[in-house]
Amino acid sequence: MKKIYLALIISALALSGYGQITKQVKSSEQIWLGYFNQTRLSDKWGLWTDVHFRTTDGFVGEPSKFLFRTGLMYYLTDDFKLTNGYNFTNHFPEEGHANVSMPEHRIWQQLQLHTKYGKVRTMQWLRLEERWRRNIKNDNELAAGYRFDTRLRFNYMLNIPLSKKGIVSNTFFVAINDEIFVNLSRKVVYNTFDQNRFFAGLAYQTSAHSNLQLGYMNVYQQLGVGNRYQNSHTIRLFYFQNLDIRKNKKVH
């Protein structure tokens, strides 16, 4: 726990511009598309699935990443869940492997909590990732073996209804969330702070169990050399679906 607290403090300092090294910030424009599904199978068990596609600079440029994530959820309560799962990520050709895609495999564990304050809804998760990224020989060829790292992520989401009815079918709401990433591996020297993602957008509750969110996301990432940063201005379109297929149970 001491290491986690220290990492979070270092990340906060990095976000505030701590240090004397001159920053080199590169800006880009991207599009992120995503689908999220949580399906409750029984009182205690459920399945998690999400799929993503992202572009590179220029919004409609080359593909950047494809992600597929799945997991088994355990319900401690209706609003508090544990998840353990697997994630495959394909990093399309980019700087460092300009002519070859780099595969990445992850195992992840997560605590997720839903709360309500009147008609306002919040969601937060704490996620630990173990990452195996394929070694790169040069811009044209993958090398044997994988580099192993661990990363901690904390995400907080706030949904504010625009209807007096609250967040119900066929109503709009404002979606705001922020997620911070911290590298925990001992091999990481210069970028304990990995990145921060801030999103604000408009959402439409398409049914009792699904919603569509469209808005702006800023991704501010520190690269491995320490003084280089990537600042991505992103159009984000995500579809969220929460299903309950228990017998004689209503959909939440």
Side-chain angles (χ1 to χ4, degrees):
M1 290 301 295
K2 290 182 179 179
K3 185 175 181 180
I4 293 174
Y5 292 145
L6 179 60
L8 290 173
I9 291 172
I10 293 173
S11 299
L13 291 173
L15 281 172
S16 65
Y18 177 82
Q20 302 300 318
I21 299 176
T22 302
K23 291 183 180 181
Q24 299 179 21
V25 181
K26 179 182 178 181
S27 294
S28 66
E29 300 79 34
Q30 301 180 353
I31 293 177
W32 288 24
L33 305 175
Y35 168 74
F36 291 80
N37 177 279
Q38 295 185 45
T39 299
R40 191 164 186 176
L41 306 174
S42 67
D43 287 346
K44 291 297 184 181
W45 297 100
L47 294 176
W48 172 297
T49 304
D50 63 277
V51 184
H52 301 259
F53 177 78
R54 303 170 186 171
T55 65
T56 57
D57 196 11
F59 291 119
V60 292
E62 298 295 325
S64 172
K65 290 177 176 57
F66 170 80
L67 297 89
F68 174 79
R69 184 182 290 110
T70 187
L72 182 64
M73 298 188 296
Y74 181 78
Y75 288 75
L76 293 172
T77 69
D78 288 343
D79 297 318
F80 188 32
K81 293 168 279 188
L82 309 178
T83 307
N84 186 62
Y86 167 77
N87 169 210
F88 171 77
T89 300
N90 183 69
H91 301 267
F92 289 96
E94 58 185 1
E95 183 179 354
H97 52 99
N99 299 308
V100 64
S101 292
M102 181 184 72
E104 176 181 346
H105 304 276
R106 303 177 191 172
I107 302 298
W108 60 286
Q109 303 82 38
Q110 178 175 279
L111 303 175
Q112 184 181 18
L113 177 65
H114 298 267
T115 54
K116 294 182 180 179
Y117 301 96
K119 296 178 181 179
V120 174
R121 299 180 184 179
T122 70
M123 186 283 296
Q124 53 191 311
W125 72 48
L126 183 66
R127 179 182 296 175
L128 180 66
E129 296 176 322
E130 295 85 33
R131 311 173 65 194
W132 288 265
R133 288 176 287 175
R134 186 68 179 266
N135 291 327
I136 300 296
K137 186 175 183 179
N138 51 50
D139 278 356
N140 302 290
E141 187 177 355
L142 298 176
Y146 290 81
R147 172 182 173 179
F148 175 74
D149 294 297
T150 56
R151 184 169 68 180
L152 187 67
R153 304 168 56 167
F154 177 72
N155 184 34
Y156 185 86
M157 179 182 292
L158 178 67
N159 293 333
I160 305 171
L162 297 178
S163 169
K164 294 181 179 179
K165 299 177 183 179
I167 301 177
V168 297
S169 297
N170 303 315
T171 61
F172 288 93
F173 62 92
V174 174
I176 300 172
N177 80 270
D178 190 77
E179 185 173 16
I180 187 170
F181 295 62
V182 176
N183 290 314
L184 300 179
S185 175
R186 293 181 179 179
K187 298 178 182 178
V188 175
V189 178
Y190 300 108
N191 60 327
T192 298
F193 162 74
D194 179 44
Q195 62 182 282
N196 188 80
R197 300 176 182 174
F198 175 79
F199 171 81
L202 184 65
Y204 181 70
Q205 191 72 21
T206 56
S207 70
H209 56 267
S210 60
N211 67 77
L212 188 67
Q213 299 183 8
L214 174 65
Y216 168 79
M217 182 171 66
N218 178 260
V219 182
Y220 189 72
Q221 183 173 14
Q222 185 177 16
L223 304 180
V225 294
N227 68 325
R228 293 180 60 194
Y229 293 78
Q230 181 78 25
N231 187 38
S232 300
H233 303 285
T234 306
I235 297 173
R236 198 187 87 174
L237 178 63
F238 281 0
Y239 183 72
F240 294 85
Q241 188 175 45
N242 295 283
L243 302 178
D244 190 336
I245 61 173
R246 294 176 293 173
K247 293 182 179 180
N248 301 320
K249 294 289 184 179
K250 294 181 178 180
V251 175
H252 294 284

